[in-house]
Amino acid sequence: MKSQKELLASLTDRQLLTQVYLTQGLLLGLSVIIGLFLFDSRHAFFRLFEGELGEILLIGGGLAFVVILIDVTLEKLLPAEWLDDGGLNERLFRSLTTPQLLLVCATVAVAEEIFFRGVLQTAFGLVIASLLFAFVHVRYLPKPWLFGQVVAVSFLLGLTFEWTGNLLITIFAHFLIDVVVGMLIRHRVQTGMRET
């Protein structure tokens, strides 16, 4: 069986991007199937998306700001090998244009928040949904700091959903976190390429 690094090395950038979209499509498909049994009506599901724009921007943006601030601080304080995810994020974000990066981050935020918060958390509760979210990011398991960060972010998103009942807030927060982290990774890689 191939290791993550070997598997990653065997994929082209386009194949990797295709895999990301297929995975997110699978999550959305599962959300629809499970949602058919979970929600009494479409209206019950769509109520999860009701909210004021100001609330979405303030709460979602505030949560994203806190998570990004902690992430950037840990990057400066901890050894690089503690935060190495095996190169997947670097491979994914390094060559994306800004519109492509925004589309990938929007797709991931929408699919993962609908599945983990809207469907799983609604059906099974905060703890199960948050832990499943963390364990799905399997590449972080051998790295305690990275895995701890994913668990913490998952619980923060889950608690925010519990508090507000609004998926748009967690989708917006997830999107902002991924966009900023993706742009920082892309900038770091491109700057490193220029220096070599």
Side-chain angles (χ1 to χ4, degrees):
M1 183 148 170
K2 289 184 177 181
S3 72
Q4 178 185 322
K5 285 196 179 222
E6 292 170 329
L7 184 59
L8 193 56
S10 71
L11 295 174
T12 65
D13 288 349
R14 184 177 179 90
Q15 289 170 325
L16 178 60
L17 191 57
T18 300
Q19 290 300 315
V20 169
Y21 284 124
L22 287 173
T23 303
Q24 300 313 305
L26 177 64
L27 287 181
L28 282 174
L30 285 171
S31 297
V32 168
I33 293 166
I34 296 169
L36 289 172
F37 298 100
L38 176 64
F39 295 98
D40 295 332
S41 67
R42 282 183 290 170
H43 182 66
F45 173 73
F46 286 115
R47 272 194 307 241
L48 299 176
F49 295 90
E50 294 174 354
E52 304 274 331
L53 180 60
E55 181 182 62
I56 294 164
L57 296 176
L58 183 65
I59 298 170
L63 176 60
F65 177 78
V66 168
V67 169
I68 293 162
L69 183 65
I70 292 169
D71 187 57
V72 169
T73 303
L74 288 175
E75 236 181 71
K76 297 214 179 290
L77 297 175
L78 298 175
E81 62 270 8
W82 288 15
L83 302 174
D84 177 20
D85 75 336
L88 179 63
N89 287 337
E90 188 175 295
R91 269 292 302 281
L92 180 62
F93 291 117
R94 72 180 179 194
S95 61
L96 295 180
T97 64
T98 299
Q100 289 172 324
L101 188 143
L102 293 172
L103 181 60
V104 167
C105 293
T107 302
V108 169
V110 168
E112 290 186 358
E113 291 307 310
I114 288 174
F115 183 71
F116 290 103
R117 260 41 89 183
V119 173
L120 293 185
Q121 187 167 328
T122 299
F124 303 109
L126 170 69
V127 174
I128 290 175
S130 295
L131 290 176
L132 282 173
F133 177 87
F135 282 108
V136 163
H137 294 79
V138 68
R139 69 186 183 276
Y140 297 134
L141 285 173
K143 302 285 186 163
W145 278 103
L146 280 177
F147 186 68
Q149 280 181 273
V150 172
V151 170
V153 169
S154 182
F155 272 95
L156 281 171
L157 289 167
L159 286 167
T160 302
F161 178 62
E162 285 279 314
W163 172 47
T164 64
N166 188 339
L167 271 179
L168 291 176
I169 291 173
T170 60
I171 288 170
F172 183 61
H174 193 149
F175 170 73
L176 281 181
I177 292 164
D178 287 356
V179 165
V180 172
V181 169
M183 286 186 168
L184 288 172
I185 290 169
R186 185 180 68 180
H187 175 74
R188 186 173 53 238
V189 169
Q190 290 175 349
T191 302
M193 285 181 188
R194 275 189 240 120
E195 290 171 359
T196 1

